[in-house]
Amino acid sequence: MLIETEPTPNPATVKFLPGRVVMGAGTRDFASPEEAEASPLASALFALGDVTGVFFGGDFISVTVGEGSDWRDVKPDVLSILLEHFSANMPLFAAGSAGDIHVPADEDAFAENPEDAEIVDQIRELIDTRVRPAVANDGGDIIYRGFDKGTVYLKMQGACAGCPSSSATLKNGIEQLLKHYVPEVTEVRAV
């Protein structure tokens, strides 16, 4: 089995492509070892000690290392864990019952005005069709969190979270796109 790697705009994050589906639908972001307990693969990656973030996309895994870590030292260990996991066809998530499921509160979502429903639909459509595919190419994801008085709130995940160029991406890319197609948008902010 061959696992390809790609750099991302975030120097702390590398995108790993196992050549198969990782998440059948959706994405999953792990920002701590405690969150990673739901996944044997994410737990094994965090156990390396240098890993500070794991993100599962449709056909990739993005791994972020902490400050002071060198990818030349960490990459062989990450590749070894990924090879073992995918070669053995291990499950991505730990088995459990419905009682084990914890859906965190969406504390960073914003209440929206029902009168803005048409605007919100346009924003969501643009994010899903134009923005998310581009961000996924860079090893991350972007999640819509709300629209309030002209401001769109978005959450960056995976390689995009903490990326030095994420502010420029938000302001120069996403904000300009949304302003062009949805005149009611005046600003885009990360949450």
Side-chain angles (χ1 to χ4, degrees):
M1 172 178 202
L2 174 69
I3 296 179
E4 295 180 44
T5 63
E6 291 180 1
T8 70
N10 183 347
T13 304
V14 172
K15 182 176 173 182
F16 295 85
L17 298 127
R20 63 175 65 177
V21 172
V22 174
M23 291 280 293
T27 61
R28 183 69 189 266
D29 192 33
F30 302 96
S32 71
E34 293 76 27
E35 290 178 16
E37 290 174 1
S39 168
L41 177 57
S43 291
L45 291 167
F46 271 100
L48 293 173
D50 294 310
V51 173
T52 59
V54 176
F55 180 80
F56 296 157
D59 64 349
F60 67 90
I61 298 109
S62 291
V63 179
T64 304
V65 295
E67 191 173 325
S69 297
D70 188 337
W71 266 110
R72 290 176 293 194
D73 299 330
V74 180
K75 190 184 280 187
D77 294 332
V78 171
L79 282 168
S80 176
I81 289 169
L82 294 174
L83 279 169
E84 180 180 331
H85 178 87
F86 287 107
S87 294
N89 290 317
M90 295 168 64
L92 196 57
F93 294 98
S97 68
D100 297 329
I101 296 173
H102 170 69
V103 178
D106 201 3
E107 61 254 2
D108 59 356
F110 292 81
E112 294 174 339
N113 185 339
E115 294 175 12
D116 293 333
E118 189 174 314
I119 295 167
V120 169
D121 288 345
Q122 291 174 359
I123 293 167
R124 286 180 179 268
E125 175 75 17
L126 284 166
I127 290 169
D128 287 343
T129 59
R130 299 269 187 110
V131 178
R132 290 182 87 197
V135 172
N137 282 337
D138 286 340
D141 198 8
I142 191 160
I143 308 297
Y144 172 83
R145 286 293 179 235
F147 175 75
D148 184 41
K149 298 176 186 154
T151 302
V152 177
Y153 296 92
L154 302 172
K155 182 175 182 178
M156 307 292 268
Q157 293 184 320
C160 299
C163 176
S165 63
S166 66
S167 294
T169 299
L170 277 175
K171 291 295 179 190
N172 299 332
I174 299 167
E175 184 175 275
Q176 294 305 317
L177 174 84
L178 292 178
K179 282 180 173 180
H180 178 76
Y181 288 102
V182 186
E184 293 84 357
V185 173
T186 59
E187 180 182 15
V188 173
R189 289 189 193 165
V191 291

